[in-house]
Amino acid sequence: MVDRGIINLSQVTLTKLTDITPESFLAVTDKKKQAKIKILNERNAVNRFMLEFAELEKESVFDEDSGECMVSIKYDEQNENEIIIRLLSFGPVVEVLSPYDFRRKIKERVDRQLALMKE
């Protein structure tokens, strides 16, 4: 199965007919990005992660001594915000290692949430 994207309908503000075909739209927006993630095997996090991101192409290596799993996921750039939200749901058992820009976006989102909690 090929993941062709997720559309968050709560963010749709306007719809209109265009001459763009689904094939041409997907060809333009199908840009893959890759992220490397470390998962601690606490609270069955590795299994939960694999199920949560089952639709994505990924490579993983599990270290039984440390109980950590290193995973590389590939995702469509247009789905980056959705991926960030899903990663944050794992809390402290998941750490995004790279790319730096992806880590920065996650940090900014956490910082905004902390600021809202302090208000």
Side-chain angles (χ1 to χ4, degrees):
M1 180 173 104
V2 176
D3 177 27
R4 289 296 184 182
I6 298 169
I7 298 174
N8 187 341
L9 293 178
S10 68
Q11 297 175 357
V12 174
T13 57
L14 174 70
T15 61
K16 64 180 180 177
L17 294 175
T18 66
D19 295 332
I20 299 173
T21 65
E23 293 78 18
S24 66
F25 174 76
L26 292 173
V28 171
T29 60
D30 193 19
K31 297 178 184 174
K32 293 286 186 187
K33 292 183 90 176
Q34 184 170 344
K36 294 189 180 173
I37 301 159
K38 177 172 72 172
I39 308 161
L40 302 178
N41 198 23
E42 297 175 16
R43 301 182 314 219
N44 202 25
V46 174
N47 287 340
R48 290 187 303 115
F49 182 92
M50 295 301 180
L51 286 171
E52 176 67 26
F53 295 98
E55 80 282 2
L56 298 181
E57 180 182 342
K58 62 186 139 324
E59 294 178 16
S60 62
V61 176
F62 184 75
D63 183 349
E64 291 194 28
D65 294 334
S66 67
E68 295 177 352
C69 187
M70 303 297 281
V71 180
S72 174
I73 62 171
K74 291 184 180 176
Y75 61 93
D76 288 328
E77 184 176 16
Q78 67 187 25
N79 294 338
E80 192 166 72
N81 284 335
E82 186 69 29
I83 299 294
I84 288 171
I85 292 166
R86 292 165 65 188
L87 284 169
L88 287 172
S89 74
F90 284 87
V93 297
V94 168
E95 179 183 359
V96 174
L97 304 175
S98 67
Y100 173 79
D101 186 54
F102 194 57
R103 280 180 58 98
R104 182 185 51 77
K105 288 177 183 177
I106 289 173
K107 181 185 181 319
E108 288 171 357
R109 191 171 193 104
V110 171
D111 289 344
R112 280 195 312 258
Q113 289 174 345
L114 284 171
L116 288 172
M117 289 175 56
K118 291 179 181 179
E119 290 181 358

